[in-house]
Amino acid sequence: MATMKVNQISRDDLDWQLDYNTERCTMCGSCVAACPFEAIHAGIEKRRKVVSDHLTPEPKVEFKAIPIIKQTVDTYKYCRGCGICERVCPNSAIKPVRNEDSRFAIKYRGALADPYKRGGRANLSTGERTLDKIRVGRISQMTDPSLDASRHTFDMLAPFGRVLPPGELPINVKDGKLTLDKTMLPPVNWIYPIIIGDMSIGALSWRMWEAMSIATAYLNEEAGIPIRMCSGEGGVPVRLLQSKYLKYTILQIASGHFGWNRIINAMPKMTEDPAGVLIKIGQGAKPGDGGLLQAKKVASHIQEIRGVPKADLLSPPNHQGLYSIEESVQKMFLSFNSAFRFKVPVAIKVAASSTSVSVYNNLLRDPYNIVGGFFLDGISGGTGAANEISLDHTGHPVISKLRDCYNAATHQGKQSQIPLWAAGGMGQNWNLAADAFKSIALGANGIFTGKLMLQLAGCVGNDRGKCNACNTGLCPVGICTQNPTLVKRLDIDKAAENIVNYFLSVDYELKKLLAPIGNSSLPVGRSDCLISEDKAVADRLNIQYAC
Amino acid sequence: MCRIGAIKSKGFIHPSKALTLMRSQQKGHDNSGFAMVMQDLGGRFEDYKELPILSMACTDDGMATAEEILHKEGFIRSMQWSPEINDRPGLNIEPMPNYVFQILQYPKSYKYAPQEEKEQLLVDTRLKIREALEEQEAGYIYSFWPDVITLKEIGDPTDIGEYFGLWEEDEEFTARIITAQCRQNTNYDIVRYAAHPFFLQGYTALANGENTFYEKNMNFQKGLNKGYIGFESDSQCFLYTLHYIHKELGWPLEYFKHTITPLPFDQLEGREDSDVLLRIRSSLAHLEINGPNTIIGVLPDGTVFNTCDAKKLRPVVVGRTDDTVIITSEVTGINEVLPDREWDKDIYTNERETVVVTNDLEVHRWQQ
């Protein structure tokens, strides 16, 4: 009798189990070849078969060894449910099935003394979102007619940059006209109210990054949608830095300061100013935590862009040397404004937190008028290498905090002086336009979104723990990996096309929401047009309760 | 929807003209009120141009409260006039016990005070009286300003006219500018303060329409000036924006239009003044209006103007003769008052236009 190895990991411990049909399998090997995790392999099974080869039944037992596809049972090589095997199987012979009774999280930690990492998706907060509990409830009628989304024009641009109150504008009256002294005015750029959020080249494959860059350029130059894309931490290819497309790119500096020496070196050769600079302090998916790019994803081109050796790249939780808002303003904002001759808006990105309002208030009172935006990232944000413990158990939903920040500014009569941008799960239910509209009505000037771009490119992960292997460098669809073989799975042109098409539909849908409330420009802070059937949500956000 | 109108004339005119103007536009509407502001007064008020006039509707207690505050501030009454009341059963009106138009002299200590200080005193005193009246539920103070009279009443405009004897022309009660509204608020409770015209420091505004950016306008305006209070109507926002742009910021009138209905971004490109206009758009985004609106405004110097929302969703027409210009919601009103004008010279203000009537009754059309 075999020994019961109860403390070893077994198939029923795993999150995902293979549903495999030997009868349909032709052993073509596609699934094994396609699985980046080596979670399946070819094996042999001994089969007992009763046969009869006489005219009258004369049963006899035969044993046969047949080749099959087997699930690997291993704490390193385990199935993540990405479903690539199912996609490549020509005969529908294999698919992963969620194991409701999984014990993998405990087995993994017990075996490896390591946090159980699952990449950039929240695994616990997958219920109905606050944004889904809000509707647009004030529909224009006879007294304030709806607009025609197809016929009327809409001004859907948001300011990115420090907005001065009118009394502080260097305006003079001359011959009945206002004139402006433009020297030392903080830069303000008008951009589309949705930004492609910061996802670094390093976290993403270069092909994914290229797809987003192509989509951004196309949207700007062909579709007339002035969308901006943030580089994420870790630098930008020098070729892009020197190209005209830099004007569509917001350069990010996060606490690792990776890649900034390259950016600074490229500055004399820049032909365009970047769209902005974003100083990342925190991220919604891992508030209070730093960033991490595992050595396995630090490919040679990443080393070159970031100026680093092949090693784990850790961004500390904060910018070393900055421990107060005063220092931040004086050192970081001033230096980055100065670096680009005070012509490029410099904004900050923080994780939504109980203290977000304090930070925002502090910045609103900044005497230098140089903070060009407040990017607030909520609990559902992030891609990449976030620890599960951070993903699932820290963070703050963004909506109430966005509302608090807007209300705090309103209380001081300073709304929109530092434009508010919010994110963290925008488009999680595939409807970015609705999320954008509701966020704007609650006080955002705009929103940013990241993971949705990955979904458009073909990411197979979901919020219920499917795939979620962005951290492994083994992204099965070539989006979050630097593995040359896997990267080639991503069709750059198709991904770019999907992103462009999605934004075209978002633009149309945004108009379809603006039109019925009778607005042709962004309804920033127009919370009177929102209702909620959830009393708690209505009370918290101070919008109308409807039942 | 409201029906609004403004008459500006070289000679003095009686409020019956305003009632006539408005009554013909009442058809099909609920006629729940009439209100007017008379500026550049004639008749019994003509000799007191420099002195502030208090316009109030109140109870006896309210009257006593107001007089106590005025006395305490040091104001001295110069003249008081109350309209003759013609009450009869069946009139659809909800009158207050007292209607007071009092001319007051500034406190002696303000004899040599600069104009700004005097103006601030008037605003502060009005706000003080308003607060006291509200606490006691004892009445309403509409304006406290030189050469200005305000009357707001709930009821049928025809009956209101009869109650105050306004249908009979009377040379003693006239003005060169009369702005008027009939019908009260539809969005909120019918309260006297909610009736147009709204008045602050010599600025008057009326609007027909719906201010869909009311909430963001209001939230922003509340912090700009202590006189920006009330907000019983979404249209009050237009007055405060006008006051803020023209008085507080000291910008020329044309920038009122640029603030409330900024040019689309694609039209701003290539304009010489695009820098200024883009900054206005970013700094004053919360004063933008986005609903259907027609706004009539009056400046302290007597300039009357009209402008509309950026899509021209509400009607307005300007009709004129050599000595009278009328801006109102529907042409039928002008037909009643100026039947012999050259109607083909009527102006239907367009979506990017501000029509300005100067004190010489010149009519200018400014394109944004």
Side-chain angles (χ1 to χ4, degrees), chain A residues 148-151 154 156 192 225 433 501-515:
Chain A
D148 180 338
S150 303
R151 188 166 57 97
F154 294 83
M156 296 195 296
Y192 200 67
I225 296 176
N501 284 338
Y502 188 84
F503 270 105
L504 293 178
S505 83
V506 163
D507 191 56
Y508 176 72
E509 287 172 344
L510 211 44
K511 287 174 188 168
K512 289 297 280 183
L513 288 172
L514 285 166

mmCIF file of all heavy atoms in Angstrom, chain A residues 148-151 154 156 192 225 433 501-515:
data_model
loop_
_atom_site.group_PDB
_atom_site.id
_atom_site.type_symbol
_atom_site.label_atom_id
_atom_site.label_comp_id
_atom_site.label_asym_id
_atom_site.label_seq_id
_atom_site.Cartn_x
_atom_site.Cartn_y
_atom_site.Cartn_z
ATOM 1 N N ASP A 148 -28.326 66.611 -28.793
ATOM 2 C CA ASP A 148 -28.285 65.503 -29.731
ATOM 3 C C ASP A 148 -26.827 65.043 -29.839
ATOM 4 O O ASP A 148 -25.969 65.782 -30.330
ATOM 5 C CB ASP A 148 -28.806 66.015 -31.081
ATOM 6 C CG ASP A 148 -28.812 64.934 -32.140
ATOM 7 O OD1 ASP A 148 -28.052 63.951 -31.969
ATOM 8 O OD2 ASP A 148 -29.547 65.068 -33.121
ATOM 9 N N ALA A 149 -26.576 63.844 -29.366
ATOM 10 C CA ALA A 149 -25.183 63.372 -29.278
ATOM 11 C C ALA A 149 -24.523 63.297 -30.648
ATOM 12 O O ALA A 149 -23.308 63.354 -30.759
ATOM 13 C CB ALA A 149 -25.143 62.014 -28.596
ATOM 14 N N SER A 150 -25.310 63.161 -31.685
ATOM 15 C CA SER A 150 -24.712 63.026 -33.009
ATOM 16 C C SER A 150 -24.547 64.359 -33.707
ATOM 17 O O SER A 150 -23.716 64.506 -34.591
ATOM 18 C CB SER A 150 -25.582 62.120 -33.883
ATOM 19 O OG SER A 150 -25.746 60.875 -33.258
ATOM 20 N N ARG A 151 -25.367 65.323 -33.321
ATOM 21 C CA ARG A 151 -25.397 66.580 -34.078
ATOM 22 C C ARG A 151 -24.632 67.703 -33.369
ATOM 23 O O ARG A 151 -23.952 68.498 -34.006
ATOM 24 C CB ARG A 151 -26.845 66.993 -34.297
ATOM 25 C CG ARG A 151 -27.040 68.165 -35.234
ATOM 26 C CD ARG A 151 -28.490 68.260 -35.642
ATOM 27 N NE ARG A 151 -29.361 68.375 -34.474
ATOM 28 C CZ ARG A 151 -29.821 69.528 -34.016
ATOM 29 N NH1 ARG A 151 -29.512 70.646 -34.596
ATOM 30 N NH2 ARG A 151 -30.620 69.555 -32.961
ATOM 31 N N PHE A 154 -19.293 68.813 -28.731
ATOM 32 C CA PHE A 154 -19.003 68.664 -27.301
ATOM 33 C C PHE A 154 -17.542 69.023 -27.059
ATOM 34 O O PHE A 154 -16.671 68.670 -27.848
ATOM 35 C CB PHE A 154 -19.284 67.234 -26.840
ATOM 36 C CG PHE A 154 -20.734 66.873 -26.918
ATOM 37 C CD1 PHE A 154 -21.299 66.453 -28.104
ATOM 38 C CD2 PHE A 154 -21.536 66.989 -25.801
ATOM 39 C CE1 PHE A 154 -22.643 66.151 -28.188
ATOM 40 C CE2 PHE A 154 -22.883 66.685 -25.859
ATOM 41 C CZ PHE A 154 -23.444 66.257 -27.066
ATOM 42 N N MET A 156 -14.862 68.157 -24.881
ATOM 43 C CA MET A 156 -14.481 67.184 -23.860
ATOM 44 C C MET A 156 -12.982 67.239 -23.609
ATOM 45 O O MET A 156 -12.249 66.334 -23.952
ATOM 46 C CB MET A 156 -14.932 65.799 -24.285
ATOM 47 C CG MET A 156 -16.443 65.735 -24.370
ATOM 48 S SD MET A 156 -17.076 64.087 -24.450
ATOM 49 C CE MET A 156 -16.410 63.545 -25.972
ATOM 50 N N TYR A 192 -7.559 65.191 -23.317
ATOM 51 C CA TYR A 192 -8.745 64.335 -23.180
ATOM 52 C C TYR A 192 -8.885 63.897 -21.714
ATOM 53 O O TYR A 192 -7.877 63.627 -21.055
ATOM 54 C CB TYR A 192 -8.590 63.107 -24.088
ATOM 55 C CG TYR A 192 -9.909 62.433 -24.375
ATOM 56 C CD1 TYR A 192 -10.880 63.078 -25.135
ATOM 57 C CD2 TYR A 192 -10.182 61.167 -23.876
ATOM 58 C CE1 TYR A 192 -12.094 62.471 -25.394
ATOM 59 C CE2 TYR A 192 -11.398 60.551 -24.146
ATOM 60 C CZ TYR A 192 -12.353 61.207 -24.897
ATOM 61 O OH TYR A 192 -13.553 60.614 -25.142
ATOM 62 N N ILE A 225 -8.545 62.868 -30.929
ATOM 63 C CA ILE A 225 -8.792 62.712 -29.487
ATOM 64 C C ILE A 225 -7.455 62.917 -28.776
ATOM 65 O O ILE A 225 -6.582 62.048 -28.848
ATOM 66 C CB ILE A 225 -9.379 61.316 -29.180
ATOM 67 C CG1 ILE A 225 -10.743 61.180 -29.852
ATOM 68 C CG2 ILE A 225 -9.489 61.087 -27.678
ATOM 69 C CD1 ILE A 225 -11.382 59.815 -29.701
ATOM 70 N N ALA A 433 -16.558 54.729 -20.278
ATOM 71 C CA ALA A 433 -17.245 56.011 -20.445
ATOM 72 C C ALA A 433 -18.148 56.298 -19.250
ATOM 73 O O ALA A 433 -18.164 57.411 -18.716
ATOM 74 C CB ALA A 433 -18.053 56.005 -21.741
ATOM 75 N N ASN A 501 -10.100 51.654 -31.283
ATOM 76 C CA ASN A 501 -11.542 51.461 -31.456
ATOM 77 C C ASN A 501 -12.279 51.635 -30.142
ATOM 78 O O ASN A 501 -13.363 52.219 -30.079
ATOM 79 C CB ASN A 501 -11.830 50.072 -32.034
ATOM 80 C CG ASN A 501 -11.522 50.023 -33.517
ATOM 81 O OD1 ASN A 501 -11.501 51.049 -34.181
ATOM 82 N ND2 ASN A 501 -11.262 48.833 -34.029
ATOM 83 N N TYR A 502 -11.685 51.116 -29.074
ATOM 84 C CA TYR A 502 -12.341 51.249 -27.776
ATOM 85 C C TYR A 502 -12.497 52.724 -27.406
ATOM 86 O O TYR A 502 -13.566 53.155 -26.963
ATOM 87 C CB TYR A 502 -11.546 50.505 -26.693
ATOM 88 C CG TYR A 502 -12.302 50.453 -25.386
ATOM 89 C CD1 TYR A 502 -13.247 49.458 -25.165
ATOM 90 C CD2 TYR A 502 -12.104 51.405 -24.407
ATOM 91 C CE1 TYR A 502 -13.975 49.419 -23.991
ATOM 92 C CE2 TYR A 502 -12.817 51.378 -23.230
ATOM 93 C CZ TYR A 502 -13.744 50.379 -23.013
ATOM 94 O OH TYR A 502 -14.480 50.356 -21.851
ATOM 95 N N PHE A 503 -11.446 53.507 -27.633
ATOM 96 C CA PHE A 503 -11.535 54.926 -27.276
ATOM 97 C C PHE A 503 -12.516 55.678 -28.165
ATOM 98 O O PHE A 503 -13.167 56.623 -27.725
ATOM 99 C CB PHE A 503 -10.158 55.586 -27.292
ATOM 100 C CG PHE A 503 -9.476 55.489 -25.953
ATOM 101 C CD1 PHE A 503 -8.438 54.601 -25.754
ATOM 102 C CD2 PHE A 503 -9.911 56.261 -24.886
ATOM 103 C CE1 PHE A 503 -7.833 54.482 -24.520
ATOM 104 C CE2 PHE A 503 -9.315 56.148 -23.646
ATOM 105 C CZ PHE A 503 -8.270 55.261 -23.457
ATOM 106 N N LEU A 504 -12.619 55.257 -29.410
ATOM 107 C CA LEU A 504 -13.618 55.884 -30.274
ATOM 108 C C LEU A 504 -15.012 55.627 -29.721
ATOM 109 O O LEU A 504 -15.865 56.510 -29.694
ATOM 110 C CB LEU A 504 -13.507 55.351 -31.711
ATOM 111 C CG LEU A 504 -12.230 55.727 -32.467
ATOM 112 C CD1 LEU A 504 -12.222 55.100 -33.852
ATOM 113 C CD2 LEU A 504 -12.093 57.238 -32.577
ATOM 114 N N SER A 505 -15.220 54.421 -29.235
ATOM 115 C CA SER A 505 -16.538 54.129 -28.671
ATOM 116 C C SER A 505 -16.729 54.846 -27.348
ATOM 117 O O SER A 505 -17.809 55.326 -27.038
ATOM 118 C CB SER A 505 -16.730 52.611 -28.512
ATOM 119 O OG SER A 505 -16.136 52.165 -27.324
ATOM 120 N N VAL A 506 -15.652 54.961 -26.568
ATOM 121 C CA VAL A 506 -15.757 55.690 -25.293
ATOM 122 C C VAL A 506 -16.113 57.151 -25.561
ATOM 123 O O VAL A 506 -16.966 57.734 -24.891
ATOM 124 C CB VAL A 506 -14.423 55.600 -24.506
ATOM 125 C CG1 VAL A 506 -14.352 56.653 -23.408
ATOM 126 C CG2 VAL A 506 -14.276 54.212 -23.896
ATOM 127 N N ASP A 507 -15.473 57.723 -26.571
ATOM 128 C CA ASP A 507 -15.738 59.119 -26.903
ATOM 129 C C ASP A 507 -17.207 59.310 -27.274
ATOM 130 O O ASP A 507 -17.858 60.248 -26.829
ATOM 131 C CB ASP A 507 -14.824 59.526 -28.070
ATOM 132 C CG ASP A 507 -14.832 61.022 -28.297
ATOM 133 O OD1 ASP A 507 -14.540 61.755 -27.335
ATOM 134 O OD2 ASP A 507 -15.140 61.456 -29.418
ATOM 135 N N TYR A 508 -17.705 58.377 -28.035
ATOM 136 C CA TYR A 508 -19.110 58.451 -28.445
ATOM 137 C C TYR A 508 -20.022 58.248 -27.235
ATOM 138 O O TYR A 508 -20.992 58.971 -27.023
ATOM 139 C CB TYR A 508 -19.372 57.383 -29.517
ATOM 140 C CG TYR A 508 -20.812 57.299 -29.939
ATOM 141 C CD1 TYR A 508 -21.385 58.301 -30.710
ATOM 142 C CD2 TYR A 508 -21.604 56.226 -29.543
ATOM 143 C CE1 TYR A 508 -22.716 58.239 -31.085
ATOM 144 C CE2 TYR A 508 -22.935 56.156 -29.917
ATOM 145 C CZ TYR A 508 -23.489 57.159 -30.686
ATOM 146 O OH TYR A 508 -24.807 57.105 -31.042
ATOM 147 N N GLU A 509 -19.661 57.279 -26.408
ATOM 148 C CA GLU A 509 -20.520 56.990 -25.250
ATOM 149 C C GLU A 509 -20.517 58.128 -24.234
ATOM 150 O O GLU A 509 -21.527 58.412 -23.597
ATOM 151 C CB GLU A 509 -20.066 55.687 -24.584
ATOM 152 C CG GLU A 509 -20.426 54.461 -25.398
ATOM 153 C CD GLU A 509 -19.820 53.175 -24.844
ATOM 154 O OE1 GLU A 509 -18.892 53.256 -24.017
ATOM 155 O OE2 GLU A 509 -20.287 52.104 -25.230
ATOM 156 N N LEU A 510 -19.379 58.770 -24.115
ATOM 157 C CA LEU A 510 -19.300 59.916 -23.204
ATOM 158 C C LEU A 510 -20.257 61.009 -23.679
ATOM 159 O O LEU A 510 -20.960 61.632 -22.891
ATOM 160 C CB LEU A 510 -17.854 60.434 -23.177
ATOM 161 C CG LEU A 510 -17.339 61.073 -21.895
ATOM 162 C CD1 LEU A 510 -17.713 60.306 -20.647
ATOM 163 C CD2 LEU A 510 -15.829 61.246 -21.967
ATOM 164 N N LYS A 511 -20.286 61.203 -24.988
ATOM 165 C CA LYS A 511 -21.233 62.180 -25.533
ATOM 166 C C LYS A 511 -22.673 61.737 -25.269
ATOM 167 O O LYS A 511 -23.546 62.551 -24.993
ATOM 168 C CB LYS A 511 -21.025 62.336 -27.041
ATOM 169 C CG LYS A 511 -19.764 63.098 -27.397
ATOM 170 C CD LYS A 511 -19.542 63.079 -28.896
ATOM 171 C CE LYS A 511 -18.187 63.680 -29.230
ATOM 172 N NZ LYS A 511 -17.788 63.434 -30.607
ATOM 173 N N LYS A 512 -22.878 60.433 -25.359
ATOM 174 C CA LYS A 512 -24.236 59.913 -25.132
ATOM 175 C C LYS A 512 -24.666 60.099 -23.676
ATOM 176 O O LYS A 512 -25.837 60.000 -23.364
ATOM 177 C CB LYS A 512 -24.312 58.422 -25.493
ATOM 178 C CG LYS A 512 -24.226 58.129 -26.959
ATOM 179 C CD LYS A 512 -25.371 58.705 -27.768
ATOM 180 C CE LYS A 512 -26.645 57.884 -27.705
ATOM 181 N NZ LYS A 512 -27.698 58.463 -28.574
ATOM 182 N N LEU A 513 -23.715 60.319 -22.792
ATOM 183 C CA LEU A 513 -24.076 60.613 -21.410
ATOM 184 C C LEU A 513 -24.169 62.121 -21.168
ATOM 185 O O LEU A 513 -24.982 62.578 -20.368
ATOM 186 C CB LEU A 513 -23.060 59.987 -20.449
ATOM 187 C CG LEU A 513 -23.155 58.472 -20.351
ATOM 188 C CD1 LEU A 513 -21.997 57.916 -19.537
ATOM 189 C CD2 LEU A 513 -24.478 58.035 -19.719
ATOM 190 N N LEU A 514 -23.326 62.878 -21.856
ATOM 191 C CA LEU A 514 -23.380 64.336 -21.707
ATOM 192 C C LEU A 514 -24.675 64.881 -22.300
ATOM 193 O O LEU A 514 -25.292 65.783 -21.731
ATOM 194 C CB LEU A 514 -22.187 64.985 -22.428
ATOM 195 C CG LEU A 514 -20.835 64.876 -21.744
ATOM 196 C CD1 LEU A 514 -19.729 65.258 -22.714
ATOM 197 C CD2 LEU A 514 -20.788 65.787 -20.536
ATOM 198 N N ALA A 515 -25.061 64.324 -23.430
ATOM 199 C CA ALA A 515 -26.213 64.872 -24.149
ATOM 200 C C ALA A 515 -27.500 64.853 -23.315
ATOM 201 O O ALA A 515 -28.165 65.879 -23.212
ATOM 202 C CB ALA A 515 -26.388 64.127 -25.462
#
